[in-house]
């Protein structure tokens, strides 16, 4: 289990490193071009590549962040391990839900 | 004409177990004096009930480690003038280990973690077989050799913050030992070592900040050993050999 989490954290770190660069480039493109909300949504609506990219981004973040936070909580708080694990599973689900809702919203807007 | 007062050191030494307190001593400052000499001087001339450990006095046995002015050190090889420029010394037991009395702490958890990390050598040949031939230039042998000179002093264990935060963490010395055995072709259970250090509290818990490496008096690199274990553990997950 620990090794699985360790591997998942490393693999998602590699994914996120590349994806964050692309994400920042997208933000710069949108803001430098002063795109309006309608123009942005016009580009994202029905765009499968966009949805796939950000869907993967959300999944990677939802795996990566709770594993790291789990370590921090283990080391810095007296919370029992089981409590931390349950809380982190809930945190991962929340990230998937929030991120998924955002991707879904701009895809179908 | 009065003689100028001989220079002295202001020494604070931890007395008692966890609920103890510091006691002050004034001992003569000498030109050539180790921290262990100071502790011995206090025990011989001020208070014979002071408890502390040492054996070899020459940096071989690893039993004299204490916290000196906030840093874990081997006291027999630490010169006072290197660490107490202002003439004050604060000497405590090592961090992260139960305190027994004064400067002696209980090393049991430290050695139990060596065992848990698979630190016991299991031979692949018996005394009736010919001596195994070892190729000194083999990369695995070199990795094993780089980690092998550990004197079990627990200085790194005491320096590592993660050990203090996470009771489960095996710590730098046990993992460094595991890395040495993992690379030793004569060891009978190299896969077992990797399995043990990949469990909770194993190599993945290390923050790679290198306080252990900074503190190790023998100048070993537990951080590098642990990085090697992490790499091998990752590769093994994908079915690859990390040797
Ligand atoms: S590098 Fe790892 S083992 Fe060494 S002090 Fe830091 S956390 Fe501890
Ligand atoms: S690795 Fe260095 S500091 Fe740690 S126990 Fe061995 S000799 Fe001491
Ligand atoms: S007394 Fe042996 S290492 Fe210091």
């Amino acid at each position: 289990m620990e090794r699985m989490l360790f591997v998942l954290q490393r693999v998602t770190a590699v994914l996120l490193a590349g994806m964050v660069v692309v994400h920042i480039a997208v933000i710069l493109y949108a803001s430098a071009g002063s795109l309006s909300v309608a123009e942005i949504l016009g580009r994202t609506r029905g765009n499968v590549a966009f949805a796939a990219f950000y869907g993967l981004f959300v999944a990677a973040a939802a795996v990566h962040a709770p594993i790291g936070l789990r370590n921090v909580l283990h080391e810095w708080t007296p919370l029992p391990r089981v409590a931390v694990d349950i809380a982190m599973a809930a945190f991962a689900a929340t990230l998937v839900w929030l991120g998924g809702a955002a991707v879904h919203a701009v895809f179908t807007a | 004409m009065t003689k100028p007062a001989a220079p002295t050191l202001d020494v604070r030494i931890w007395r008692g177990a966890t609920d103890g307190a510091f006691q002050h001593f004034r001992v003569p400052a000498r030109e050539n004096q180790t921290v262990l000499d100071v502790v011995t001087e206090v025990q011989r001339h001020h208070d014979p009930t002071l408890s502390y450990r040492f054996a070899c006095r020459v940096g071989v046995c690893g039993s004299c480690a204490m916290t000196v002015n906030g840093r874990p050190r081997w006291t027999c090889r630490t010169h006072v003038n290197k660490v107490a420029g202002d003439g004050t010394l604060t000497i405590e037991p090592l961090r992260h280990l139960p305190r027994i009395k004064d400067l002696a702490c209980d090393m049991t958890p430290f050695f139990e973690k060596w065992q848990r990390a698979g630190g016991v050598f299991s031979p692949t040949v018996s005394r009736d077989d010919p001596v195994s031939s070892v190729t000194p230039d083999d990369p695995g042998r070199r990795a094993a050799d780089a980690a092998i000179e550990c004197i079990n002093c627990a200085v790194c264990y005491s320096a590592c913050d993660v050990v203090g935060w996470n009771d489960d963490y095996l710590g730098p010395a046990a993992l460094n030992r595991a890395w040495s055995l993992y690379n030793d072709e004569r060891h009978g259970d190299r896969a077992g070592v990797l399995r043990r250090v990949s469990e909770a509290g194993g190599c993945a818990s290390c923050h790679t900040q290198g306080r252990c490496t900074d503190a190790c008096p023998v100048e070993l690199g537990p951080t590098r050993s642990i990085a090697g274990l992490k790499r091998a553990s990752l590769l093994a997950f994908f079915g690859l050999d990390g040797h």
Side-chain angles (χ1 to χ4, degrees), chain B residues 165-180:
Chain B
W165 297 329
N166 181 353
D167 283 346
D168 242 12
Y169 182 42
L170 293 170
L175 290 168
N176 180 70
R177 167 70 178 163
W179 175 242
S180 189

Side-chain angles (χ1 to χ4, degrees), chain A residues 2-3 6-7 10, chain B residues 113-114 116-119 140 143-144 147 169-184 187 189-199 201-206 208 212 221-238 240-243:
Chain A
E2 292 301 318
R3 171 142 71 177
F6 177 62
V7 171
R10 292 317 196 260
Chain B
K113 287 178 179 181
W114 274 62
R116 218 180 88 208
Y169 182 42
L170 293 170
L175 290 168
N176 180 70
R177 167 70 178 163
W179 175 242
S180 189
L181 278 186
Y182 174 70
N183 284 294
D184 189 339
H187 183 48
D189 190 19
R190 296 158 84 188
V193 171
L194 201 53
R195 199 186 58 248
R196 281 156 175 264
V197 302
S198 303
E199 287 168 3
C203 60
S205 299
C206 168
T208 323
C212 51
T223 314
R224 190 181 45 216
S225 300
I226 298 168
L229 287 174
K230 286 182 181 178
R231 192 175 57 240
S233 176
L234 265 180
L235 290 173
F237 184 84
F238 295 107
L240 302 167
D241 184 9
H243 286 106

Side-chain angles (χ1 to χ4, degrees), chain A residues 54-106:
Chain A
Y54 277 99
L56 186 59
F57 196 141
V58 167
V63 170
H64 187 84
I67 299 175
L69 191 57
R70 175 177 177 264
N71 289 339
V72 173
L73 291 174
H74 277 163
E75 288 174 7
W76 285 76
T77 69
L79 294 170
R81 283 189 171 257
V82 185
V84 170
D85 288 351
I86 294 172
M88 289 307 97
F91 179 46
T94 309
L95 288 180
V96 169
W97 176 57
L98 290 175
V103 174
H104 181 256
V106 292

